[in-house]
Amino acid sequence: MTSDAHLNELGQFLKVQRAELSPRTVGLPDTGGRRVPGLRREEVAQLAAISTDYYTRLEQGRLQPSASVLAALAQVLRLDDHQRDHLFELAGRQRMRHRRQAAQKAQPQLRRLLDDLAGTPGVVIGRRMDILAWNPLAAALLTDFAKVPEGKRNCVRILFTDPSMRTLYADWRAVARGCVSHLRMTAAKYPDDPRLTSLVGELSVQDRDFGQWWGSRGVPSRRLGVKRLLHPVVGELILDWDTFTCSSDPDQELVVWSAEPGTPSYDGLRALASQTSDCLGGPADRSGRLV
């Protein structure tokens, strides 16, 4: 059981670390007019995807935070390993140490499947909902993933930061909330993942809806369903989507979209596939880019 003295010391430690950071350091706009140096409480809370009231009570020594909250705060406050250990010790929590995860690469069997899905859009999604591979039709249906820098090639980031997504998905809010829910499940599985923590902090700052949905229980994540897309080239498409987990790496999933044969959506998808094939004019690699 952590003593009140330790929790009070934890609160003081958080205050000191917060005061040593500037908004620019953590990617926030500095509007000036600050009475004291450093980050405001609400800014730290927003970056860590927790409520301002919760964070305030931490600084007041009134709460014992969970390991996942501590990991998020350590990332936000740019703590080194020694400072992280001290933070967890003050909170009476054991720091979860994960071995550094190698960059994920799409499994060869999933890439082969993408090659064979000429008439079906498909993408391979990784552990943080990173986009690991795609076929040309998926790029034509959703967005040109090749133009997105590899470090930012993430489903949730694209969904919230690319304005075209809000017009492509007829029910963007429902799609976005589902993605946030899925990301929360991943965060529970990997609570000390710095890249995941950074992604959550970034999107919480950039998008009010993301921050609100992340802080709520949200809706259960689904693995199949129907999406209504308003495509700029072929018009309305009502597509079934499904996910298939890779047996050799359960953190990878193949997501595909399809339409019932004989429907306008089926014809629209075939027309898009035909246009995509004509535009490529040559073979593509297994990430959907021309070779």
Side-chain angles (χ1 to χ4, degrees), residues 34-157:
R34 291 173 180 259
R35 292 178 296 176
V36 294
L39 298 179
R40 298 186 176 100
R41 284 176 173 174
E42 57 267 27
E43 291 169 335
V44 175
Q46 188 176 28
L47 288 167
I50 57 179
S51 71
T52 301
D53 177 66
Y54 185 94
Y55 180 75
T56 299
R57 285 185 285 166
L58 287 180
E59 285 200 354
Q60 292 172 344
R62 297 164 53 196
L63 281 178
Q64 182 186 24
S66 66
S68 59
V69 168
L70 290 171
L73 289 172
Q75 179 73 16
V76 169
L77 296 173
R78 305 295 197 266
L79 303 186
D80 60 28
D81 278 346
H82 176 72
Q83 291 169 325
R84 281 174 178 257
D85 287 340
H86 185 58
L87 178 71
F88 276 75
E89 182 180 347
L90 290 175
R93 300 293 188 187
Q94 184 175 0
R95 180 179 170 190
M96 300 179 66
R97 296 181 180 272
H98 295 283
R99 290 180 298 176
R100 187 175 182 86
Q101 296 172 321
Q104 269 188 307
K105 300 294 183 183
Q107 292 291 314
Q109 62 269 36
L110 296 184
R111 289 183 175 275
R112 289 193 295 270
L113 278 172
L114 285 177
D115 286 344
D116 292 338
L117 294 175
T120 302
V123 299
V124 177
I125 305 298
R127 68 173 67 94
R128 304 177 193 89
M129 299 188 73
D130 293 329
I131 299 164
L132 305 181
W134 62 93
N135 62 12
L137 187 51
L141 177 68
L142 302 173
T143 190
D144 189 351
F145 299 112
K147 292 183 178 179
V148 181
E150 186 173 359
K152 296 184 178 298
R153 206 175 286 154
N154 176 277
C155 284
V156 187
R157 179 184 278 113

Side-chain angles (χ1 to χ4, degrees), residues 140 230-236 271-272 275:
L230 304 177
H231 197 273
V233 176
V234 295
E236 182 184 53
L272 187 61
Q275 291 185 30

Side-chain angles (χ1 to χ4, degrees), residues 159-171:
L159 192 61
F160 278 89
T161 62
D162 185 344
S164 68
M165 295 294 102
R166 297 174 188 259
T167 54
L168 175 65
Y169 287 101
D171 193 356

